[in-house]
Amino acid sequence: MIEILLYTVLTLCLLGAVAAMVLYLVARKFYVYEDPRIDQVENLLPLANCGGCGYPGCRGLADALVKNDDITSLYCPVGGTDTMNRVAAFLGKSAPEKEPQIAEVRCGGSCGKRPRISIYDGAYSCAVEHSLYSGETGCNYGCLGKGDCVVVCNFDAIAVNPETGIPEVDPAKCTACGACVRACPRAIMELRKKGVKDRRVWVNCINRDKGAVSRKLCTVSCIACGKCVKTCPFEAITLQDNLAYIDPYKCRLCRKCVPECPTSAISEINFPPKKETPAGGGKGEGNAAVRVKDPTSPSATSVSDGIPAGSVGESDGNRPPQQA
């Protein structure tokens, strides 16, 4: 009896040793070398794992940053330029340069501007409602307001305004990761350049119906009249599929298009209030007074509409100075 027990123990020990040897040989055969710098680069990243860089988490981006000689096309929107500079300095590579962006909601059709024609009684999700029908209003393009963008935002940067029913983005929290853009079934969310002093101008509508139809469905929809296109001196506005679009990289923030829009579909943000021209200030009707000081004076300035000569105004980018 004791011999049988002894043989059993020895057999099990031998099988264990053989299995360990097999596992060791397999591990050596299929060993995958991983650059230790990947762990170090990953620790330099914000570890948000949002996917905004286009890779599955910060580990995937760290792997790409280490393995690619040219990393100018790789960028972490959460960490921004500072993080990418630290990574590039550690790897001895050139850091990518990219202007800061922010998520923007391209729909101004609040509850009071889009009449409700039905009541949705289903799963509280924009994706579900969009897959079933056009929504509670007649606009097939407008925001559904169920907050799918709010759910996917890992930074609490989006909240639905209960009064308007439209999501609002907190610029202080938004990292431009793009999660909300991917989650919106109607492609209302867009990543746009933050702009100088966080000033932006954009067409707050994505309705591609013809003017009369879109105007009937929403009082602030774009009607494709083309006035903004004709007004823009920088060719930053295009008109396609019955919808105007402002290119953030061509727009100079002159805001000439804003008062031209008959439906107030063009939004502007973070601009100072426009200065009103005093009535009867100039010799000609409707012209602002022009004051020119002695050029030899130490405090000499030439003022036209309250803007110092040679400077760019807040609301009229490249306007030529008026003649006295």
Side-chain angles (χ1 to χ4, degrees):
M1 186 69 181
I2 298 177
E3 292 179 356
I4 297 176
L5 182 60
L6 182 60
Y7 288 146
T8 303
V9 173
L10 291 175
T11 302
L12 291 176
C13 291
L14 181 60
L15 289 176
V18 172
M21 182 62 68
V22 171
L23 290 176
Y24 173 77
L25 294 175
V26 170
R28 295 289 297 178
K29 177 67 175 178
F30 298 100
Y31 175 75
V32 178
Y33 172 78
E34 189 174 70
D35 195 320
R37 294 180 299 171
I38 296 177
D39 291 329
Q40 295 172 292
V41 171
E42 183 182 11
N43 291 330
L44 292 175
L45 297 175
L47 302 178
N49 295 315
C50 61
C53 57
Y55 289 88
C58 294
R59 183 80 178 177
L61 177 60
D63 183 74
L65 288 168
V66 172
K67 292 181 178 179
N68 288 276
D69 294 331
D70 184 7
I71 64 172
T72 54
S73 61
L74 304 176
Y75 191 80
C76 174
V78 179
T81 304
D82 293 338
T83 296
M84 296 310 300
N85 286 335
R86 288 196 296 269
V87 171
F90 172 75
L91 296 175
K93 301 176 181 180
S94 298
E97 295 182 2
K98 190 174 181 180
E99 293 189 69
Q101 292 182 313
I102 188 173
E104 206 68 79
V105 183
R106 293 183 58 203
C107 179
S110 60
C111 299
K113 297 171 182 176
R114 278 189 296 162
R116 178 179 291 182
I117 60 175
S118 64
I119 298 178
Y120 171 73
D121 186 15
Y124 201 80
S125 167
C126 296
V128 174
E129 183 175 347
H130 175 71
S131 65
L132 294 176
Y133 76 130
S134 61
E136 296 180 328
T137 67
C139 181
N140 296 325
Y141 302 89
C143 178
L144 297 171
K146 298 300 182 293
D148 284 17
C149 53
V150 178
V151 175
V152 299
C153 182
N154 295 326
F155 307 97
D156 297 326
I158 309 178
V160 177
N161 189 318
E163 296 182 1
T164 63
I166 302 293
E168 295 178 352
V169 179
D170 186 346
K173 295 181 179 180
C174 180
T175 61
C177 68
C180 57
V181 177
R182 296 186 292 271
C184 182
R186 295 198 165 178
I188 291 174
M189 306 296 294
E190 180 191 14
L191 293 180
R192 294 182 67 86
K193 185 177 69 170
K194 268 193 172 184
V196 180
K197 297 181 180 179
D198 288 343
R199 295 172 183 173
R200 298 180 294 281
V201 178
W202 73 97
V203 178
N204 206 20
C205 179
I206 62 167
N207 193 319
R208 291 176 173 81
D209 290 327
K210 291 186 177 180
V213 177
S214 62
R215 177 66 170 172
K216 183 178 180 181
L217 299 175
C218 179
T219 59
V220 292
S221 68
C222 175
I223 58 175
C225 63
K227 290 184 178 181
C228 55
V229 179
K230 298 176 182 177
T231 304
C232 181
F234 308 107
E235 299 182 352
I237 309 178
T238 55
L239 192 63
Q240 186 177 3
D241 296 333
N242 302 315
L243 180 65
Y245 178 77
I246 300 177
D247 188 339
Y249 294 96
K250 291 183 179 180
C251 178
R252 303 290 182 85
L253 305 178
C254 69
R255 295 190 294 168
K256 290 182 178 180
C257 58
V258 177
E260 292 295 325
C261 182
T263 61
S264 301
I266 301 179
S267 297
E268 53 181 336
I269 188 172
N270 294 330
F271 287 92
K274 293 183 178 180
K275 297 180 180 179
E276 297 182 0
T277 304
K283 295 182 180 179
E285 183 178 355
N287 293 330
V290 177
R291 182 176 72 255
V292 180
K293 291 186 178 182
D294 183 4
T296 60
S297 172
S299 60
T301 55
S302 175
V303 179
S304 174
D305 287 347
I307 303 174
S311 65
V312 178
E314 295 289 348
S315 62
D316 204 353
N318 287 343
R319 178 179 56 190
Q322 295 181 0
Q323 302 297 323

